[in-house]
């Protein structure tokens, strides 16, 4: 089934007129949403902890900054852009008591709604606008006059205007310039978690690390292995991003094309596909969500251990040394780190 897509002509900023949007959080997505909304003429306030290091950044951009509770009280639309693991507690303690009848509660990811960690009262709208890009790119392309594709979903339509408001929000951050695809909280959450775990963060990283290990264990220099298994990955991903897998194969050498098409399925085969299905099943039945919630309740011991193990891996140590030779890459890393704070 093809997703319904909305563009500028389908969205009307009138749904945001005389309304205040409260952006809770000022990290990668938070700063982009707040600044794009502000530049679109929307009245925006930012909600942050009293000790947040982002307060000065937001104020320097001309934004009004309040405590999370104060911002939620001032907002007609409250966009929750703090990390998933903190949202439920913040909702109960600081957002819920300050929502009024007919307000809208908004998210950029459906985790807490879909897995019932947040259960809003029935007298508010609940919708999602999820840009399919990191926040620094959402901001950058908006300033260039373009936009980032977004997903839209309405979970609760108390006012009867939730979809209109959501589309107006998407337009104000630049989403309808590129296209806004309609989905559900369930679909967005489950596909997002699967993609992160099986492909984008988990699968690709493990493939890179194990490829690096195969070469170094065979006696090849770790620096050369790093370039072949990690550094050049960006070149391939950029080609796929621009024109799909077919475009990538068209752009590489015939040798690379033949080798990839004949050997790739030997490395990632039906066994891997079955394992991916198991990953998806654990996302769908809530096993992963329960695991992640408990991990946070316990103080994230497993995550800390895994972070430490990754930092100790040879590919990370070699990579830091090689990237120090690449001025352009360091500039990109600095930009991403700054936007994510």
């Amino acid at each position: 089934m093809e997703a319904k897509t909305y563009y500028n002509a389908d969205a009307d900023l009138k749904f945001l007129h005389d309304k205040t949007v409260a952006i809770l959080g000022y990290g990668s997505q938070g700063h982009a949403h707040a600044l794009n909304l502000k530049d679109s003429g929307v009245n925006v306030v930012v909600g942050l902890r009293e000790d947040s290091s982002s307060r000065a950044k937001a104020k320097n951009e001309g934004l009004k900054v309040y405590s999370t509770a104060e911002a939620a009280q001032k907002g007609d639309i409250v966009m929750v852009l703090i990390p998933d693991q903190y949202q439920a507690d913040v909702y109960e303690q600081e957002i819920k008591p300050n929502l009024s009848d007919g307000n809208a509660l908004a998210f950029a990811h459906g985790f807490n709604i879909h897995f019932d960690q947040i259960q809003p009262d029935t007298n508010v709208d609940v919708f999602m606008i999820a840009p399919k890009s990191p926040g620094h790119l959402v901001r950058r392309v908006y300033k260039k006059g373009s936009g980032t594709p977004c997903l839209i979903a309405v979970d609760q339509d108390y006012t009867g205007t939730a979809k209109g408001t959501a589309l107006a929000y998407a337009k104000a951050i630049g989403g309808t310039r590129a296209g806004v695809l309609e989905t559900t909280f369930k679909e967005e959450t489950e596909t997002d978690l699967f993609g992160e775990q099986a492909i984008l963060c988990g699968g690709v990283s493990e493939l890179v690390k194990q490829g690096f290990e195969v070469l170094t264990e065979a006696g090849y220099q770790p620096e050369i292995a790093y370039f072949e298994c990690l550094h050049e990955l960006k070149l391939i991903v950029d080609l796929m991003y621009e024109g799909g897998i077919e475009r990538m194969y068209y752009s590489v050498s015939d040798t690379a094309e033949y080798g990839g098409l004949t050997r790739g399925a030997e490395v990632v085969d039906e066994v891997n596909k079955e394992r991916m299905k198991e990953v998806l099943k654990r996302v769908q039945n809530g096993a992963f969500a329960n695991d992640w919630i408990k991990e946070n309740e316990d103080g994230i011991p497993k995550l800390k251990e895994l972070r430490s193990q990754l930092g100790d891996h040879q590919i990370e140590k070699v990579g830091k040394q090689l990237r120090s030779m690449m001025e352009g890459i360091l500039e990109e890393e600095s930009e991403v780190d700054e936007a994510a704070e």
Side-chain angles (χ1 to χ4, degrees), residues 21-73:
V21 176
I23 301 295
L24 307 186
Y26 201 72
S28 178
Q29 289 292 336
H31 90 284
H33 286 230
L35 294 175
N36 289 7
L37 286 163
K38 177 175 175 285
D39 288 351
S40 292
V42 179
N43 186 37
V44 183
V45 298
V46 174
L48 293 169
R49 302 187 319 273
E50 296 293 345
D51 61 347
S52 173
S53 61
S54 296
R55 280 181 162 263
K57 294 177 184 177
K59 288 180 179 179
N60 287 340
E61 293 286 357
L63 293 162
K64 298 175 183 177
V65 180
Y66 300 94
S67 70
T68 304
E70 288 173 329
Q73 192 277 327

Side-chain angles (χ1 to χ4, degrees), residues 236-251:
I236 299 303
V237 170
D238 282 351
L239 289 169
M240 294 171 66
Y241 181 86
E242 293 166 6
I245 297 173
E246 190 174 34
R247 166 69 181 275
M248 179 273 290
Y249 274 127
Y250 173 79
S251 301

Side-chain angles (χ1 to χ4, degrees), residues 36 86 89 103 108 148 150 155 162 192 211 216-217 240 246 258 278 288 311 323 331 335:
N36 289 7
Y86 305 128
D89 285 343
N103 281 177
T148 299
C150 295
D155 187 70
D192 186 75
T216 55
E217 289 167 6
M240 294 171 66
E246 190 174 34
Y258 179 75
E278 286 300 314
F288 170 77
R323 289 193 299 274
E331 289 175 356
E335 179 187 30

